[in-house]
Amino acid sequence: QVQLRESGGGSVEAGGSLKLACESPEYVFRTCAMAWYRQPPGKERELVSTISKDGITTTYSDSVKGRFTISQDAAKNAVTLQMSRVTVEDTAVYYCATQGSLEMTPAQARYFCPYWGQGTQVTVFS
């Protein structure tokens, strides 16, 4: 059973910073792109950011662009999400997940990169 292990959640004052990490098995880290999602209370899960498996290409939702940074920590087979200038609207359960790499077909992506973390709570207070 492949597990993605998230860490770094907690409570932070508005305007502050928090860093999330998602560790994976090495073969997952080398095979799959990675993404961070979040689910605010009472709302649908939304995509926050992605990073290609080579760490070169990143994407961000409009709501976090310029405030959050996704990156790789190859030594730990991990992907991190640096959250800065947080607001109460960033309060959510944050999940990391694998995504298929660009060369994969959709079926290959579903087979090789279907993994999710258990989620970590981020609470921003004012």
Side-chain angles (χ1 to χ4, degrees):
Q1 181 75 12
V2 174
Q3 284 191 323
L4 305 181
R5 188 173 66 183
E6 296 139 338
S7 60
S11 295
V12 59
E13 190 171 9
S17 299
L18 202 63
K19 188 172 186 177
L20 307 182
C22 173
E23 294 185 34
S24 66
E26 182 178 1
Y27 76 93
V28 171
F29 182 80
R30 294 185 181 279
T31 301
C32 306
M34 298 293 290
W36 284 97
Y37 290 79
R38 69 184 182 185
Q39 186 165 18
K43 296 185 179 180
E44 297 290 318
R45 189 176 298 183
E46 61 183 10
L47 179 63
V48 174
S49 183
T50 68
I51 187 166
S52 57
K53 69 175 183 178
D54 59 10
I56 293 175
T57 304
T58 59
T59 68
Y60 298 93
S61 67
D62 288 342
S63 60
V64 308
K65 196 174 296 182
R67 300 187 299 118
F68 290 11
T69 303
I70 191 170
S71 61
Q72 292 179 329
D73 183 346
K76 297 181 179 180
N77 297 320
V79 172
T80 62
L81 185 70
Q82 177 67 54
M83 305 167 61
S84 302
R85 304 196 310 277
V86 296
T87 71
V88 293
E89 285 73 32
D90 294 320
T91 294
V93 178
Y94 284 73
Y95 300 88
C96 67
T98 53
Q99 291 190 332
S101 54
L102 289 178
E103 67 271 20
M104 290 184 183
T105 65
Q108 289 173 327
R110 288 191 297 271
Y111 182 81
F112 290 110
C113 302
Y115 309 114
W116 286 80
Q118 78 286 354
T120 186
Q121 177 70 46
V122 171
T123 302
V124 182
F125 59 92
S126 59

